[in-house]
Structures are given as structure tokens and as C-alpha cells.
Amino acid sequence: MRTQEALHIAVESFPMAFDITVQHDLKKLRRGLNALETKVAPQATIRTLNRVAESAKVASARHIAPQMNSRQAAVKRRIETHKATFKQLWATLVARDRALQLIEFVVGSKKPTQQPGGKRGLVRAKVYGKTRTLTDAFIAPRRRGSSKTTVYVRKSGKRLPLKMLFGPGIMQLFRQRENDAIMQAKVQERFEPEFHRNLAFYLNRYKQP
């Protein structure tokens, strides 16, 4: 989806992804620049697109995470940034339809639940405001020696194999109009100030001997 609007977010849907593309009318943006500024404008534009895309990602994660009772960092990991280049003057945020690990929703400590004497603590997870106690689940390292943990259940009565548990994904909330409006507002807020800041940055580099 491409239009001639000064600033817009184009949205496209795919089976396993949902993306938002940030563009800007470069002719309007560069109008009034002097010759020296015009030389560095492409670099400033690319840097601006990528930084504004990251700002929109942060704004989206900040909006989505509390609704799911997840951490912002976990939500951000499900949103990929396809950066702008000289040949591709737009940056794209792509939300992946992949569930978050249940450890992101665990209430309280996320440390291993193995206790002295072989006892295991109960795992409680809060998703969309509802808390559940998972009596058969336990928290353990993702791999031997790792400090990162996740939630497992046993597939049988034996010690192995294990099954990792997952919560919901972000796709439904990412697609909502409210989230779209929040990202668009962030783009509108950040684009021009960021462009002028980056233009000054590259002008200073260009003028240095």
C-alpha cells in the first residue's frame, strides 16, 4: 500500500506476520534545504526513518505489554524492524504471530522452582488480568548452565521429555486501531525533530577537516 500523503503508515497482513511501514514525502521534507544540506539529507533521512521506527516499536510495546500482563522487552522481541536503506527509503515494523513463552507471564520469582528435598514451588501465571496456578508445571533453566529460565511440564511420568509452555502472542493487540493510532502519533511527533537533529549531525561530520 503506497500513497502520496506527507506522512503515513501502510499496513499489510500476511499469514504469519503483520507489518507497519513508515514513509515520508521526501520532496516536501527537503524543500528549502541549501546545497550542503541536500548532500547529507539522504543519510539523515535513513537514520531518521530507523530511529522513528524504533520509537514506534517502543510505544507499541508500552501499550501492548500491560494489557497482556507481559514485559515490554518480551513484546518488543516479537516486533522486527526492517531498516531503511539508500535503496529502500522506508522502515517496516513486522509483528510475528508467535506466542510468548509463559515465563513472561509468571507472577513473582522466575527462578527455578526446584526446592531442597525434591519439592517444587507452584507456578502462577497472569495473562490478560486472570491468574492461574499450574500445579504440574515448574520453572527450570532453558539449558544447562543458563541463567534464563522458562516454564515446563513433563510429557509423561518420566523425568524426560519436557514440554515448554507458552502464553498468547501479540498479533491481536498489534492489529488494533488503538495501537495503530499510538504508533502513528509517535511517528508524527518524532519525525521532523529527529530529521533536523540528524541533519545537523551529518552536517557537522561533513564540515570537519
Side-chain angles (χ1 to χ4, degrees):
M1 184 187 299
R2 300 289 182 265
T3 72
Q4 295 301 313
E5 296 176 13
L7 182 67
H8 74 280
I9 294 180
V11 179
E12 298 177 57
S13 181
F14 298 94
M16 297 297 291
F18 192 76
D19 74 57
I20 291 190
T21 304
V22 180
Q23 292 182 298
H24 200 283
D25 185 341
L26 299 183
K27 290 183 179 179
K28 180 179 180 180
L29 190 64
R30 295 175 183 175
R31 193 174 298 150
L33 298 182
N34 60 39
L36 181 57
E37 290 173 332
T38 301
K39 288 183 180 180
V40 300
Q43 293 171 297
T45 300
I46 292 168
R47 184 168 177 163
T48 298
L49 285 166
N50 293 330
R51 288 195 168 188
V52 170
E54 288 300 316
S55 294
K57 178 195 288 191
V58 171
S60 178
R62 187 179 296 123
H63 172 68
I64 291 173
Q67 296 183 68
M68 302 176 70
N69 298 109
S70 178
R71 296 182 305 135
Q72 291 183 31
V75 174
K76 285 175 65 178
R77 286 196 292 270
R78 290 295 182 266
I79 307 175
E80 297 180 6
T81 304
H82 296 177
K83 293 187 176 183
T85 65
F86 284 106
K87 293 183 179 180
Q88 180 177 289
L89 288 176
W90 63 86
T92 305
L93 298 181
V94 181
R96 295 298 180 187
D97 190 18
R98 181 184 173 194
L100 278 67
Q101 293 184 23
L102 192 63
I103 191 67
E104 303 296 348
F105 304 93
V106 166
V107 177
S109 174
K110 294 178 174 60
K111 294 182 179 180
T113 51
Q114 180 70 51
Q115 302 296 324
K119 297 181 180 180
R120 298 186 181 278
L122 293 177
V123 177
R124 298 172 67 239
K126 186 176 183 180
V127 182
Y128 290 118
K130 297 181 179 180
T131 303
R132 291 177 55 201
T133 299
L134 307 172
T135 56
D136 295 329
F138 60 94
I139 299 174
R142 294 186 188 179
R143 58 184 62 86
R144 183 175 296 180
S146 174
S147 61
K148 295 182 178 180
T149 59
T150 195
V151 182
Y152 295 101
V153 292
R154 301 191 189 282
K155 289 186 177 181
S156 66
K158 298 181 180 180
R159 185 171 180 272
L160 296 174
L162 302 178
K163 178 183 178 182
M164 185 185 299
L165 298 185
F166 291 84
I170 70 169
M171 189 69 73
Q172 182 179 353
L173 293 174
F174 191 81
R175 284 177 168 170
Q176 287 182 347
R177 290 183 179 179
E178 186 177 358
N179 185 60
D180 176 63
I182 286 171
M183 288 190 288
Q184 290 204 45
K186 180 59 65 174
V187 172
Q188 292 280 4
E189 172 193 338
R190 297 297 310 143
F191 202 97
E192 288 200 22
E194 190 68 43
F195 175 78
H196 290 298
R197 184 179 299 110
N198 292 321
L199 187 66
F201 171 78
Y202 284 109
L203 280 171
N204 288 334
R205 289 183 58 180
Y206 188 87
K207 293 176 181 178
Q208 288 178 0

